[in-house]
Amino acid sequence: MRNLKVTMAFRGTKYHGFQRQLNALTIQEVVEGALSRLFNESVQIQGCSRTDTGVHAREFVFTMQTEKSLPARNIIRGASGYLPDDISIYRVEEVPLDFHARFSSIGKEYMYRIHNSESKNPFTTDLELHYRRKLDIELLREAAFHFVGTHDFAAFCSNCTEKQNTIRTIYDIQIEKQEQTVILLVKGNGFLYNMVRILIGTLLNVNEGQIKLEQLDAILASRDRVRAGMTAQPHGLTLNRVFYETV
């Protein structure tokens, strides 16, 4: 039995996230269908993460098992013929049988893109959040510093239960402006449901003066979702990188 680590990119605009659903089109359903045709057998994949409707990925990893001896290059080329233009498999590696795309991951990096201008950018309407207010980059960086480190992020999670472990570590948050685009990179050991989008939404609320810098530590400590900021729109979010120990 071969265990394959497969890396793909996708534009999530047309899909209801990664994970298969009964009544909605998802990335998993499309990819499993394409690989099942390629391998001429039923293929099931295990993804590194769930993604929300409309969220994208530059580097999304999944694992799959097969007895077929199809070489990696043939898998990449063959899958391309069955996949739509908004999903691309670009790396296939054979890994030990105990490697799992999700459970072997030691961290992820998300990117959130904001088009900061009075006018829309027609080329990125489904890839960047259009935000008209002027962004104070230094204020955002100061606010983001409050989230770096190991914290209980229950206040930044949608639908978290009382029994759920909500402690996570954020290693770094970088915020850069490139002309009219503001790019936020959030790197951590793991993320709760909607956590990155709520973090971004909270930073935008700080920018608007609705949340003060001195309130952020208390919001974290409260574990109360109501006290944190809004949930930013999904289309600006991209899973940028997934980190593993050397396989």
Side-chain angles (χ1 to χ4, degrees):
M1 178 67 70
R2 301 170 71 202
N3 189 29
L4 301 179
K5 175 189 175 189
V6 183
T7 307
M8 67 176 170
F10 58 79
R11 192 174 187 136
T13 307
K14 298 178 182 177
Y15 303 95
H16 289 254
F18 168 77
Q19 190 169 20
R20 180 183 285 275
Q21 300 179 33
L22 291 177
N23 301 309
L25 184 65
T26 66
I27 299 292
Q28 184 176 12
E29 176 185 347
V30 173
V31 173
E32 286 181 344
L35 292 176
S36 294
R37 292 178 67 185
L38 175 63
F39 283 88
N40 195 29
E41 63 183 10
S42 178
V43 171
Q44 294 184 332
I45 65 177
Q46 302 83 39
C48 64
S49 176
R50 299 180 180 183
T51 59
D52 294 339
T53 297
V55 171
H56 319 286
R58 289 174 179 261
E59 182 177 283
F60 188 101
V61 176
F62 66 84
T63 42
M64 60 164 286
Q65 292 74 45
T66 182
E67 296 281 4
K68 300 290 179 66
S69 59
L70 201 61
R73 184 173 66 174
N74 292 21
I75 296 172
I76 293 170
R77 290 182 174 180
S80 178
Y82 294 120
L83 288 170
D85 291 341
D86 50 11
I87 303 175
S88 176
I89 287 174
Y90 61 87
R91 187 183 305 124
V92 177
E93 307 163 77
E94 194 156 349
V95 291
L97 289 175
D98 61 354
F99 179 88
H100 190 284
R102 177 183 174 190
F103 300 119
S104 299
S105 170
I106 59 172
K108 298 182 179 71
E109 179 183 78
Y110 281 90
M111 173 174 62
Y112 199 92
R113 297 176 64 92
I114 301 173
H115 179 64
N116 190 207
S117 170
E118 185 65 32
S119 303
K120 296 179 182 178
N121 181 348
F123 299 104
T124 63
T125 52
D126 63 334
L127 298 173
E128 298 178 347
L129 174 70
H130 180 211
Y131 187 81
R132 289 187 173 90
R133 294 173 183 261
K134 182 179 179 180
L135 284 169
D136 185 335
I137 302 301
E138 289 307 317
L139 176 64
L140 294 181
R141 287 172 177 159
E142 190 174 352
F145 182 76
H146 288 260
F147 303 132
V148 175
T150 300
H151 304 285
D152 187 333
F153 283 97
F156 295 83
C157 176
S158 298
N159 301 324
C160 278
T161 65
E162 286 296 323
K163 295 182 179 180
Q164 187 172 349
N165 178 9
T166 50
I167 296 175
R168 297 291 187 274
T169 300
I170 291 184
Y171 302 126
D172 189 31
I173 300 179
Q174 297 182 26
I175 304 173
E176 301 293 339
K177 186 169 185 179
Q178 300 175 2
E179 297 181 346
Q180 293 179 320
T181 299
V182 175
I183 300 173
L184 300 95
L185 292 174
V186 184
K187 184 188 300 183
N189 68 347
F191 296 91
L192 303 167
Y193 182 59
N194 282 163
M195 178 175 159
V196 177
R197 289 171 57 194
I198 297 169
L199 287 171
I200 300 300
T202 300
L203 292 179
L204 294 178
N205 286 151
V206 170
N207 186 74
E208 295 163 9
Q210 297 172 5
I211 295 176
K212 305 299 183 184
L213 286 174
E214 56 268 23
Q215 295 177 284
L216 294 175
D217 291 340
I219 291 172
L220 268 170
S222 74
R223 305 185 75 254
D224 184 358
R225 171 66 189 95
V226 174
R227 295 187 60 179
M230 63 182 175
T231 304
Q233 292 294 311
H235 63 276
L237 185 63
T238 297
L239 176 56
N240 198 46
R241 292 190 291 173
V242 187
F243 302 104
Y244 298 95
E245 300 284 4
T246 303
V247 178

